[in-house]
Amino acid sequence: MRRANPLLRRLPPYFLTWHTFRFRTICSGRRGFAGTATTTKTKHLDTFTEQFEIGSRVITLETGKFARFANGAVVLTMENTNVLSTVVSAKGDAVRDFLPLTVDYQEKQFAQGVIPTSFTRREGAPKERELLCGRIIDRPIRPLFPPGFYHEVQVTASVLSSDGEHDPDVLAANATSAALMLSDIPWGGPIGMVRIGRICGKFIVNPTTDELKLSDLNLVYAGTMDKTLMIDVQACEISEKDLEAGLRMAHLEAIKYIEPQIRLAAKAGKSKKEYKLSMLSDKTMDKVRNIAEEPIKAVFTDPTYGKFERGEALDNITQDVKRVLVEEGDEESLKVLSKAVDTVRKKVVRERIIAEGNRVDGRQLDEVRPLYCEAGCISVLHGSALFSRGETQVLCTVTLGAPTDAQRLESVVGPPSKRFMLHYSFPPFCINEVGKHGGINRREVGHGTLAEKAFLAVLPPKEDFPYTIRVNSEVMASDGSTSMATVCGGSMALMEAGIPVREHVAGVSVGLVSELDPSTGKIADYRILTDILGLEDHLGDIDFKIAGTRKGVTASQLDMKPAGIPLDIVCECLEPAHKARLLILEHMEQEISIPRNKNDSTSPRLATLKYNNDAIRRLIGPMGALKKKIEEETGARISVGDGELTVVAKNQSVMDKVLEKIDFIVGREIEVGGIYTGIVSNIKEYGAFVEFNGGHQGLLHISELSYEPVSRVSEVVSVGQKLSLMCIGQDVYGNIKLSLKATFPRPGILETNDVTEGSVTSAKETDGNASRVQEQQNSASQSSLGDPESGEAKSPTSQVPVIVIRSASECDEEEKSSKVPRVDNGAQLDRKSKSRPSQNAIHSAPKSKSRKSQDVIDSSTSHSGPLPYTNAKKTKDKASVTAKDLEVGTIVTAKVYQIRAQGFVLDLGGGVRGVYRFEENNSRDFKIGDEMRVVCSSFSNKGIPVLSLADDK
């Protein structure tokens, strides 16, 4: 740091501020002198404001406070939303044949009091919404620049603050119009822009974002005092008549912006500067017209030309004109040759349409080009469709994803995300050109958003269809109206993907060719063209895109080249567009009319599973590592919510893999009869311990390995082996009992039609195709009659007390310390254990109306030989039959408890069940609860009484 002057350090402070020396301050030891009397006066900002009211809201225009060096700068304020718009123009001469107008719209996060979440904490590249808002500003102001004005102009609209209630896009357009009026740039404004909504049939001017959620119309309209310049519509199948009423109201409200801008320009506006205009001289035009007019007429009157054949013929004519001009040495005409030839083409085409009503390709004015529709052209995709109209061809595909795949939006207004996206791509090959791919293209974003708006009215609500939907439109060939072809192809692709859209949406583009009266400058004659070609779009006046269903319009967009056209002509275009739309819809419905049922192997699957937050944390793992691993291994997407998992898989096989992994990690409610996948963790002499269902442990007894005798457990299973096992109950030690053989049919026994719902999850799955219910054949405990208790034990509707799961080590210690005698299951289940209880309960049999208590017979085959019925739960009915009382030849009165395919399951009382097999000539006219006299004829190998009808005689 530079040291202070020693002399100044000795001077007293008051001496340094003495006005005679005009000292003002000392900074870092330096002297500072105050200015003269004329420079010390504070200059106040000269600001000018205009305040007016639109609808029920007060709007203020202010200039002179911000961006004073700009050619024109205006701040427009509506309540707590402020937008600054500035315009500047290049100083040099314009050596080009087009207007290089750039419109940038910016929404920085400070406008809503938020710091950007990016790594650099700065705003990045322009977002899609910023590009769309820039287009809304650009489209109405561009036609008003004078012909031949090719100087570079840049418009920058910045949102200074936003209350989140009013969309700044319309405010920015009006502020831009006011800034152009204040500048010295020649411009044919001002314009007014307004947004119109409709709620319950009533139009609303400048609706808030909350009101737009309830509105069936979102109309943005821009125009001058007597003409329309731009229209942008999103609607819920509004009729053409109602849309016309909205347009007429919008025009009356939009012109209210014009007078305040004129008054502000009168106060603070600059005088318009004389810019050099690049106009074609009459001499050049006459020379080019004489050479090229007749050959151009010959090309345009031949309908056999295709797009590229016609273009090649016109290029040859241009080369012929160029050779003549080179021979004559006319350098001035050579510089503007392409512009002059294009002007001759435009004149020839327009005169022929106005005078003869004939178009370039020989069609009538209201005729639609030949159509071709094909749904499902790429079968492996979720949805696909190919749509062709004339030489325009578009391929649309549909991809379904998880709810978390929704696009996140960071705008000052509107929703934070959107689950439906339509992306439009215009590759160079579609027009036989060489170009670069990549980057966000303003035109592509605009066309894709228009088609996206067209579908919003017919999409199913999120509650009915939770998938995220992406439609991708690839233009294969372009000869006009590719955005409307995207609407048609996208509608078929959505139905082909099985998305329950209410009905088809189609779109068509309408053009206009007009003739002006030289004396008044007004339109003297005009023709409306349906389904315009690319050439007619280029040489015509407007491109009016209208999309909708049979019921009404869902989206519309109007762009034009002249400085506005009357609203009456715009409204007249709605009727031919409606007729053409119905014709296109008829062809689309012939190809596909309803959403297809996608049950093939390539269709995506979605399941929503309910778990507690602890279970979800186990699934996610540290830093989400476990969840990421599952996604990488299976290719599925897992979305995590509060107590909810959403799984989206490419197909059913992937879904099964994901659900199996989730079940193994998180587990589900354990049910008797449920099928689970487990891994053998330890092998003992008497069986194997298996880890399954999210860390639970069960015992696979040696007797449950196979229907054949097994001498050693290790001969059948090994540590680390993955098995599919059935939960069959709980043993006397408190362990969950698992069975391997129960998952296979019992050999030598005729199987019944009974099935068990194995993997019944407690989760609620929103897609039936992703159901985890597995049908398994009855096991050994369900033979032709099955185990009398098995059908009841597999019902998941009732519960027994929480079970105790013991590890293999705990069982080993207890076996060494004491030998547990065989006791009845009821006593064992009720016994308290010091071990940690399980978080899940085993579902047992439902309560039967014929039983007053929840009696459960342990019907497993965990012991070899007949199972004594002393293991059954004891009841209070002392008069009922017990297992000890029952012998061969005992006659009892039994009730029909279950009716099977081969016989009855009979309730003998006291918790004892028996089976009765049908014989020939036996009557089967029994119902559940009927009593019958039976005699015990034998016992099965499991100790189950086999009964027959008693002969009372």
Side-chain angles (χ1 to χ4, degrees), residues 476-719:
M476 298 288 104
S478 174
D479 191 15
S481 193
T482 52
S483 61
M484 294 297 95
T486 295
V487 174
C488 301
S491 181
M492 292 191 299
L494 289 171
M495 282 198 177
E496 204 275 328
I499 299 174
V501 294
R502 288 194 292 107
E503 54 185 308
H504 269 309
V505 183
V508 68
S509 186
V510 177
L512 176 73
V513 173
S514 60
E515 184 179 21
L516 300 180
D517 187 341
S519 59
T520 62
K522 295 182 179 181
I523 296 178
D525 198 3
Y526 63 91
R527 297 290 183 271
I528 296 174
L529 311 179
T530 302
D531 184 23
I532 57 176
L533 295 171
L535 183 64
E536 292 171 336
D537 181 12
H538 173 67
L539 301 179
D541 292 335
I542 69 171
D543 181 10
F544 196 5
K545 305 179 182 72
I546 305 172
T549 65
R550 291 186 178 275
K551 298 178 181 178
V553 176
T554 58
S556 178
Q557 179 176 296
L558 171 65
D559 297 319
M560 65 181 59
K561 298 173 181 64
I565 60 173
L567 182 57
D568 291 337
I569 298 179
V570 174
C571 295
E572 189 178 340
C573 295
L574 297 176
E575 183 58 29
H578 175 68
K579 293 180 179 179
R581 188 170 75 245
L582 295 180
L583 176 65
I584 298 170
L585 285 170
E586 183 178 349
H587 281 76
M588 294 167 57
E589 290 168 354
Q590 290 176 0
E591 174 66 17
I592 180 171
S593 57
I594 59 174
R596 289 181 179 168
N597 187 12
K598 302 288 285 188
N599 289 323
D600 54 272
S601 59
T602 62
S603 300
R605 297 291 186 266
L606 184 145
T608 301
L609 315 174
K610 302 290 185 180
Y611 290 106
N612 59 51
N613 291 331
D614 291 335
I616 293 178
R617 277 193 289 270
R618 292 201 305 273
L619 174 66
I620 297 174
M623 304 295 291
L626 199 53
K627 171 178 168 290
K628 293 178 182 178
K629 183 179 178 182
I630 295 175
E631 292 178 333
E632 291 174 357
E633 291 177 351
T634 62
R637 297 284 187 90
I638 301 177
S639 305
V640 180
D642 186 12
E644 185 177 276
L645 288 177
T646 302
V647 182
V648 176
K650 296 180 180 179
N651 49 53
Q652 185 61 47
S653 62
V654 174
M655 176 64 76
D656 294 339
K657 293 179 183 178
V658 176
L659 296 182
E660 182 180 352
K661 290 180 179 293
I662 292 176
D663 286 343
F664 187 80
I665 297 172
V666 177
R668 61 180 188 269
E669 200 168 10
I670 303 176
E671 302 163 354
V672 174
I675 304 297
Y676 303 90
T677 300
I679 296 179
V680 178
S681 59
N682 200 351
I683 294 179
K684 300 293 182 182
E685 293 182 359
Y686 50 85
F689 285 92
V690 180
E691 184 178 345
F692 74 106
N693 199 41
H696 294 90
Q697 198 172 58
L699 175 62
L700 175 61
H701 195 267
I702 187 173
S703 62
E704 294 297 329
L705 291 173
S706 174
Y707 289 109
E708 301 295 331
V710 177
S711 58
R712 299 180 64 180
V713 178
S714 58
E715 293 179 355
V716 181
V717 296
S718 59
V719 175

Side-chain angles (χ1 to χ4, degrees), residues 16 72 219 304 341 370 402 418 457 536 559 564 694 729 737 789 805 848:
L16 295 179
L219 165 64
T304 61
V341 173
K418 63 177 181 180
E536 292 171 336
D559 297 319
K737 293 192 299 182
E789 297 302 317
I805 303 175
S848 174

Side-chain angles (χ1 to χ4, degrees), residues 868-900:
Y869 274 86
T870 54
N871 286 348
K873 222 175 195 180
K874 297 180 180 180
T875 65
K876 297 180 180 180
D877 188 0
K878 303 297 182 180
S880 59
V881 178
T882 64
K884 293 181 180 181
D885 299 333
L886 194 62
E887 298 178 355
V888 175
T890 304
I891 298 176
V892 295
T893 301
K895 291 183 177 180
V896 177
Y897 179 68
Q898 284 184 350
I899 300 176
R900 298 292 184 91

Side-chain angles (χ1 to χ4, degrees), residues 242-267:
D242 291 342
L243 178 58
E244 180 179 347
L247 291 173
R248 295 192 181 279
M249 178 182 179
H251 182 80
L252 296 177
E253 296 294 331
I255 61 177
K256 294 180 181 179
Y257 285 92
I258 294 177
E259 188 62 31
Q261 297 180 45
I262 296 175
R263 294 198 301 265
L264 185 66
K267 295 178 183 178

